[in-house]
Amino acid sequence: MELKVMYFGMIAEATNCREEIISVGNRCSIYQLENLLKDKYQNLQPISFKIAVDKEILQNDILLTPNTEIALLPSFAGG
Amino acid sequence: MKKKKTVFIDGPISPAFIANSIEKHQTKTTIGAHDIFLGQVRADNIDGKIVQAIDYSAYKDMAEDKFHEIREATFSKFDLTCMHIYHSLGIVKTGEICLFVFVSAPHRKVAFEALEFLVEEIKKDVPVFGKEILEDETHVWKVNR
């Protein structure tokens, strides 16, 4: 399946793009997606980030479903 | 679900905007106490370079959802008359205001407690990112402590 993945802040800087479509297997967890992206972008490895699925931060063993919006979020800095 | 209020403002939040917001509450005479938090961009020294501005960005859809959830949680926890939250996006120079949180209640204690709760929740849960622009035009990414 294909997933839309968005990047923010220093993550977008490390990937050098703001969003892209990533192809994954049909049984892909958040954790597996994280590893796949860290393999694709070596620059991501030292950065601490959270993954939001449809705007919620979930446990990383949850399986992803098609048509969800994935976002990689670095540390928050509001205020 | 109530309509979501707009939180984000392009650029700094002006003192005039804040004054105007205070003035608008003078007709709401059940209010006995206001409390206000203003976040200001600090000229931190980062390895010998001074911060000039912060360029804020956000995962806007999620941030608006989070602001809404935080508002609802605060209203259910505290007996507030009203609440307003504004956050900057884009460039805010040092000394300028980037966050304006305004709570009003019949009595002061509730206002004090609700304001602290709100600001802490915003810092913890809202996906806003800050690029600190340094004097030599390099940058570092801000992290909330």
Side-chain angles (χ1 to χ4, degrees):
Chain A
M1 61 180 167
E2 292 189 328
L3 299 167
K4 179 183 165 190
V5 183
M6 299 188 291
Y7 306 113
F8 291 91
M10 70 169 84
I11 303 279
E13 213 167 62
T15 60
N16 203 21
C17 74
R18 290 183 181 275
E19 63 175 72
E20 66 182 329
I21 304 293
I22 297 278
S23 293
V24 298
N26 284 331
R27 287 184 57 80
C28 177
S29 67
I30 295 174
Y31 178 72
Q32 285 167 318
L33 176 68
E34 179 179 335
N35 283 336
L36 189 150
L37 292 171
K38 281 180 173 168
D39 281 343
K40 181 169 180 185
Y41 299 108
Q42 302 288 314
N43 290 344
L44 278 184
Q45 288 179 6
I47 302 175
S48 132
F49 60 86
K50 290 177 180 164
I51 297 183
V53 179
D54 282 343
K55 297 175 257 173
E56 290 292 337
I57 291 161
L58 305 174
Q59 277 181 288
N60 64 6
D61 57 352
I62 286 176
L63 289 178
L64 296 166
T65 52
N67 305 315
T68 45
E69 184 176 277
I70 313 289
L72 268 61
L73 308 174
S75 300
F76 299 167
Chain B
M1 210 156 91
K2 280 186 233 163
K3 188 177 166 283
K4 281 181 205 144
K5 296 180 72 167
T6 308
V7 170
F8 289 116
I9 287 187
D10 280 327
I13 298 161
S14 73
F17 180 88
I18 295 162
N20 186 44
S21 188
I22 295 167
E23 192 177 352
K24 279 186 194 157
H25 289 75
Q26 295 188 319
T27 55
K28 297 186 182 181
T29 49
T30 59
I31 295 170
H34 298 299
D35 201 3
I36 287 175
F37 177 84
L38 300 174
Q40 175 169 297
V41 174
R42 197 173 48 234
D44 274 349
N45 181 328
I46 296 172
D47 299 329
K49 296 175 196 166
I50 308 294
V51 172
Q52 303 292 298
I54 296 181
D55 186 0
Y56 285 105
S57 58
Y59 178 10
K60 249 177 139 175
D61 289 348
M62 179 175 165
E64 278 164 3
D65 284 0
K66 290 290 165 198
F67 277 123
H68 181 76
E69 284 169 25
I70 293 169
R71 282 177 60 82
E72 297 294 297
T74 309
F75 269 128
S76 65
K77 213 170 144 83
F78 301 96
D79 179 24
L80 290 178
T81 312
C82 61
M83 172 193 326
H84 303 273
I85 305 168
Y86 298 97
H87 198 296
S88 295
L89 283 182
I91 298 277
V92 183
K93 291 186 207 137
T94 51
E96 292 181 329
I97 304 298
C98 55
L99 173 63
F100 170 31
V101 183
F102 186 4
V103 298
S104 309
H107 301 286
R108 69 185 181 285
K109 277 200 176 156
V110 169
F112 292 150
E113 287 167 14
L115 185 72
E116 180 170 6
F117 174 79
L118 256 177
V119 174
E120 293 305 317
E121 292 293 299
I122 292 167
K123 295 230 172 209
K124 180 166 66 73
D125 286 343
V126 181
V128 169
F129 316 102
K131 186 159 86 171
E132 293 180 307
I133 316 280
L134 306 175
E135 54 197 331
D136 61 354
E137 289 176 17
T138 59
H139 67 263
V140 292
W141 290 92
K142 179 176 174 257
V143 175
N144 277 350
R145 288 188 208 122

